[in-house]
Amino acid sequence: MTTTSAAEPRPPSLWPTLKGIGAFAMPYFKSEEKWRARGLLLAVVLLNLGTVYMLVQINEWYRVFYDALQAKDQPVFWQQIGRFGWLALIYIVLAVYKFYLTQILQLRWRVWLTDHYMGRWLANKAFYRMELARYTADERGTPDNPDQRIQEDLNLFTSYTVSLSMGMFNALITLVSFVGILWTLSGSISVPLPGFLGGGELEIVGYMVWAAVLYCAVGSAIAHWIGRPQVRLNFQQQMLEANFRHHMVRVREYSESIALDGGERVERRHLDVRFADVMSNYFSLIRNQKQLTWFSSFFSQAAIIFPMIVAAPRYFSGAIQLGQLMQINSAFGRVQDSLSWLVDNYMSLAVWKATTDRLIGFEKSLAHQSQTQDALNTSESTQGITAQDLTVGLPGGHALLAGVDLSVAPGDTVLLHGPSGSGKSSLFRALSGIWPHALGRVGLPKDTMFIPQRPYFPDGRLRDALAYPDPAEKYTDDALKEALNAALLPALTDQLDREDAWSQKLSGGERQRLAIARVMLKKPAWVLADEATSALDEEAEATIYQRLIDRVKQAGGALVSIAHRSTLATLHRTRWALKPNAADGTDAARFRLDVSRAD
């Protein structure tokens, strides 16, 4: 059974895809690299024109060469052999540089698009908001796996756009160049009319051109009828491949938890289901490709002898010579190749459309994020942490808190507690300004730092993980070691240059202490800690908390903590307690916030 995304059940129609291609192409050719981009495009166009011109010259060579063979004219034969050598050499040089500059154009375009979309994805927390919205009932939909859109889809889009557009241009130029030659060489043919049409004969001028048009029109129509499902199948294939890869990344990310829970069989079952979806769709795709290959193979093989059959009566009647016959065959082949471009490239066109449609969804989601005005008004505060008329909700739309006013003054130590699911972490995210499901006004001092429940540590050197997101070179070794000691991690002080996967190698308590070591290193005045010491023993927790409190008070700031242990209550002067509201229907919020101070 094949699964599809609820947000993107099927690719859009052709017109939105064409508009999307233009929307992705134009910014690059209007960017800061526009002259280099336009220059490369112009060079590729000129090289395409040059190769077509050389094909015209080689077509003319066919007539002279085969006429010399028929006349057994040895001097002309050797002369044409030498001429062909020069024509072939020039054509090869043009073809090589056409390929090289086409690849350079595609490469530079991909670099620019990747930089452009990575910047937009990471700007204004769009990556975070898109992930939050992925499984919500947002009518606009949220694309799956943005990482694949940037890494793979942009690569496919630039590659197919350049190659197919240049291929189409080359086909058009070839058609224009050779259709006149074929028309001139074709002459005319008389076709007897049946009696019900009045009898007599119908003279068809340029009949080889009409034969090529009819042959390719029928072939293109049949190819489209056979290959049309490939657009949908390719669209789904890319999505299902990304889902399969994403789940494997999740298994790697949570490998320790899965191993401890013994969840290998469950994860294998989930991966098997996703891989089965991949293979089921892929088999459908290759079955359709097989059908299209059957037709295209017959079509291309028949095209070899079709012009000979059509032109043979004039040759055997003596109207044309062998050279002209071969020239007609060559010109017909070029015209037929041009008109059969759709047949020859249908599979590539299907992948191109599917890729473009996926990028259109990604672009729409990014545009929606940039156009959405945050209901939460955040500003820099000089009076401490403040919140006025703050409402905090869930992604589904339910309100956790409504109309809350809060303030944290210098020297305060605040403990936020409440039942699980009451919105403690959501309140912290709202105070940080990243929670999109909140409204009201929040003021934060400039020197504020947050400690999340699941701190992130990049793989690599320990000094980089400790200094993140600042560059490690900003801090001296003594400062780094002092921070580790203050966070009760003395065993790591001699491992600053060790490279490792720290999120995997450190225990839960060590990861929490490393996150606190960041705070000790950067010395912020205001700290908001979300379950920052839940994995520590009470003695270590009390020591670290006292050091945090001493640091923030010395800097003229305050500490706000989320914690469940009652032992921490003595270290905090103010309590924020989240309590369930009475289910009387008078208040839409599920919880209320009670503020109290210790005696």
Side-chain angles (χ1 to χ4, degrees):
M1 182 179 67
T2 302
T3 60
T4 57
S5 170
E8 296 175 305
R10 61 179 63 252
S13 59
L14 182 59
W15 177 242
T17 302
L18 294 176
K19 289 174 63 179
I21 291 170
F24 284 116
M26 293 308 296
Y28 175 57
F29 292 95
K30 293 181 179 179
S31 69
E32 66 282 357
E33 294 188 22
K34 60 184 178 182
W35 296 117
R36 177 179 291 177
R38 295 173 184 177
L40 279 171
L41 180 60
L42 177 61
V44 171
V45 168
L46 291 176
L47 287 169
N48 273 276
L49 292 173
T51 55
V52 172
Y53 175 76
M54 295 309 301
L55 290 175
V56 171
Q57 297 301 311
I58 292 173
N59 178 264
E60 171 64 19
W61 174 87
Y62 271 107
R63 180 185 63 80
V64 179
F65 180 75
Y66 281 101
D67 280 348
L69 279 178
Q70 187 177 28
K72 297 182 180 181
D73 190 338
Q74 188 173 6
V76 174
F77 171 82
W78 288 112
Q79 179 189 28
Q80 292 304 309
I81 290 292
R83 180 170 177 252
F84 179 80
W86 283 107
L87 292 175
L89 177 61
I90 295 172
Y91 178 82
I92 290 171
V93 171
L94 292 175
V96 168
Y97 277 96
K98 182 182 77 170
F99 166 79
Y100 175 71
L101 292 183
T102 299
Q103 295 301 305
I104 292 296
L105 175 60
Q106 181 244 314
L107 177 65
R108 291 190 179 278
W109 191 9
R110 181 193 176 187
V111 168
W112 187 89
L113 278 175
T114 302
D115 179 72
H116 175 71
Y117 278 98
M118 278 199 304
R120 291 179 60 191
W121 182 52
L122 293 173
N124 301 317
K125 308 292 190 297
F127 65 98
Y128 172 69
R129 300 184 180 198
M130 289 171 67
E131 193 65 22
L132 282 178
R134 184 176 174 188
Y135 292 107
T136 61
D138 185 352
E139 63 181 3
R140 298 173 184 83
T142 302
D144 58 278
N145 305 297
D147 52 309
Q148 190 212 30
R149 309 294 172 104
I150 295 174
Q151 183 269 325
E152 183 176 347
D153 288 351
L154 285 178
N155 180 33
L156 291 174
F157 173 77
T158 53
S159 176
Y160 279 105
T161 301
V162 172
S163 61
L164 289 174
S165 60
M166 287 299 103
M168 184 184 297
F169 173 76
N170 189 276
L172 290 174
I173 297 302
T174 302
L175 177 62
V176 171
S177 301
F178 280 91
V179 73
I181 296 174
L182 184 61
W183 183 278
T184 302
L185 294 173
S186 297
S188 61
I189 189 172
S190 296
V191 178
L193 294 175
F196 67 87
L197 292 179
E201 292 184 338
L202 175 65
E203 184 177 5
I204 303 175
V205 180
Y207 74 100
M208 291 297 294
V209 173
W210 298 115
V213 170
L214 179 62
Y215 182 82
C216 296
V218 173
S220 297
I222 297 174
H224 179 64
W225 177 70
I226 296 173
R228 184 170 54 182
Q230 287 192 32
V231 175
R232 172 181 53 83
L233 292 171
N234 275 289
F235 184 90
Q236 292 178 348
Q237 188 67 27
Q238 293 178 32
M239 178 184 66
L240 294 171
E241 294 276 11
N243 289 340
F244 177 56
R245 183 171 60 246
H246 177 75
H247 195 83
M248 286 194 290
V249 171
R250 296 279 290 177
V251 171
R252 187 182 66 185
E253 182 181 359
Y254 290 95
S255 57
E256 181 180 354
S257 298
I258 294 170
L260 290 172
D261 290 335
E264 295 88 346
R265 290 185 180 180
V266 176
E267 296 308 318
R268 176 59 188 266
R269 187 161 60 248
H270 290 327
L271 287 170
D272 284 345
V273 169
R274 284 165 171 77
F275 188 63
D277 288 343
V278 170
M279 289 296 99
S280 175
N281 190 82
Y282 188 62
F283 281 131
S284 298
L285 180 62
I286 61 176
R287 280 194 296 268
N288 186 267
Q289 289 176 341
K290 181 189 73 172
Q291 295 170 0
L292 186 60
T293 302
W294 272 109
F295 172 73
S296 61
S297 297
F298 277 115
F299 183 84
S300 60
Q301 291 302 311
I304 297 174
I305 61 170
F306 181 77
M308 290 290 196
I309 295 173
V310 177
R314 295 188 67 221
Y315 173 72
F316 288 118
S317 69
I320 57 175
Q321 300 299 312
L322 177 62
Q324 287 177 292
L325 177 65
M326 299 307 297
Q327 189 180 14
I328 288 173
N329 184 65
S330 173
F332 183 93
R334 299 300 178 189
V335 172
Q336 181 264 328
D337 286 343
S338 301
L339 293 173
S340 302
W341 186 84
L342 177 65
V343 177
D344 297 335
N345 292 277
Y346 202 93
M347 295 182 189
S348 297
L349 286 166
V351 175
W352 186 35
K353 185 180 186 305
T355 300
T356 303
D357 292 337
R358 285 174 57 79
L359 286 174
I360 288 172
F362 185 48
E363 166 63 31
K364 286 182 178 179
S365 184
L366 281 178
H368 170 60
Q369 292 295 337
S370 64
Q371 293 169 4
T372 299
Q373 297 296 322
D374 287 338
L376 186 64
N377 182 7
T378 57
S379 60
E380 185 176 328
S381 171
T382 58
Q383 305 298 320
I385 300 173
T386 61
Q388 289 87 39
D389 197 23
L390 179 63
T391 296
V392 181
L394 293 172
H398 298 291
L400 291 170
L401 292 168
V404 175
D405 292 329
L406 297 171
S407 64
V408 182
D412 276 352
T413 51
V414 179
L415 177 64
L416 172 62
H417 62 94
S420 178
S422 58
K424 298 184 294 298
S425 295
S426 297
L427 176 57
F428 260 40
R429 294 171 188 141
L431 291 176
S432 71
I434 69 170
W435 190 242
H437 309 290
L439 54 90
R441 297 182 301 279
V442 170
L444 278 180
K446 184 177 182 180
D447 193 12
T448 302
M449 190 168 176
F450 293 83
I451 308 177
Q453 283 188 16
R454 295 179 56 211
Y456 168 71
F457 303 108
D459 295 344
R461 299 182 305 172
L462 177 61
R463 64 172 70 243
D464 295 319
L466 176 56
Y468 181 87
D470 295 337
E473 292 72 23
K474 182 178 177 180
Y475 304 98
T476 65
D477 284 7
D478 289 341
L480 296 169
K481 292 177 181 179
E482 180 185 349
L484 291 171
N485 282 318
L488 306 181
L489 289 172
L492 296 181
T493 54
D494 61 347
Q495 300 185 43
L496 291 175
D497 291 312
R498 175 184 161 193
E499 296 188 5
D500 215 326
W502 299 104
S503 294
Q504 300 291 329
K505 294 300 178 67
L506 297 179
S507 68
E510 287 174 325
R511 290 196 296 270
Q512 288 187 339
R513 280 179 280 167
L514 186 58
I516 292 168
R518 282 180 182 165
V519 178
M520 300 296 187
L521 176 67
K522 300 175 183 182
K523 300 180 174 62
W526 303 82
V527 175
L528 291 89
D530 186 358
E531 297 283 359
T533 57
S534 58
L536 303 184
D537 59 83
E538 292 184 2
E539 182 179 355
E541 183 179 53
T543 300
I544 284 180
Y545 254 100
Q546 191 58 59
R547 291 178 180 178
L548 281 173
I549 291 170
D550 292 341
R551 287 286 177 94
V552 297
K553 286 186 175 180
Q554 184 180 0
L559 173 68
V560 182
S561 309
I562 294 178
H564 289 287
R565 287 180 180 169
S566 58
T567 52
L568 289 179
T570 58
L571 298 174
H572 297 79
R573 294 175 50 201
T574 304
R575 313 277 206 287
W576 291 353
L578 287 168
K579 298 181 179 180
N581 267 325
D584 56 5
T586 60
D587 196 331
R590 294 180 178 180
F591 296 89
R592 69 178 189 274
L593 186 68
D594 291 345
V595 179
S596 62
R597 287 187 175 273
D599 295 335

